[in-house]
Amino acid sequence: MQPSDSRSTELVADLLQIVRPFPEPIGKLASTLALTLLHLRPDLEAKARLGWGSVNYRHPDAGFVCAIFPMEDHVSLVFEHGRQLSSPLLEGDGKQVRFIRFAPDAAIPEDDLAILLAEAIALRA
């Protein structure tokens, strides 16, 4: 997916700084995932957090929803209140946060992500 508006272009520029130390497949996956989330939910605001090395997504009514964290060998999509969401894609046994781990060659399950995002927003809105 290519940047289609100024917010996507700005996000990609910041994301390039975040993924610079990681292998190219991780950077490509993180960028694709970041833009996919904006495509699925145009009502989300994405902001790169250079200090955290993440891209955080907020909803105007639900607040902080999720974040993308590139890692050395995968990209994690972390849901702030993931424990309360129902999806077999979610991993982790934390009290609140759960995540989806994407390998560099993994397909991005857009339909499943759209459902998760809608659930996460409805939960907090």
Side-chain angles (χ1 to χ4, degrees), residues 12-119:
V12 169
D14 289 342
L15 186 56
L16 288 174
Q17 290 183 52
I18 292 171
V19 300
R20 186 173 290 129
F22 297 99
E24 181 183 348
I26 297 298
K28 184 176 180 180
L29 174 60
S31 297
T32 300
L33 184 57
L35 294 174
T36 297
L37 295 181
L38 288 178
H39 170 73
L40 292 173
R41 291 301 302 226
D43 55 343
L44 289 176
E45 176 189 328
K47 182 165 180 135
R49 298 288 189 188
L50 301 179
W52 283 77
S54 66
V55 177
N56 296 359
Y57 293 85
R58 292 185 56 80
H59 184 269
D61 298 322
F64 179 60
V65 175
C66 61
I68 295 171
F69 287 88
M71 305 292 183
E72 192 62 33
D73 62 348
H74 69 278
V75 174
S76 288
L77 175 58
V78 177
F79 283 87
E80 174 72 6
H81 298 282
R83 176 57 67 194
Q84 298 176 33
L85 302 174
S86 59
S87 172
L89 297 176
L90 291 168
E91 301 178 43
D93 57 3
K95 292 180 182 178
Q96 180 173 314
V97 174
R98 292 184 75 200
F99 61 91
I100 301 172
R101 184 186 321 248
F102 292 96
D105 58 350
I108 296 174
E110 291 188 28
D111 292 341
D112 292 328
L113 288 181
I115 292 167
L116 269 171
L117 290 169
E119 278 186 42

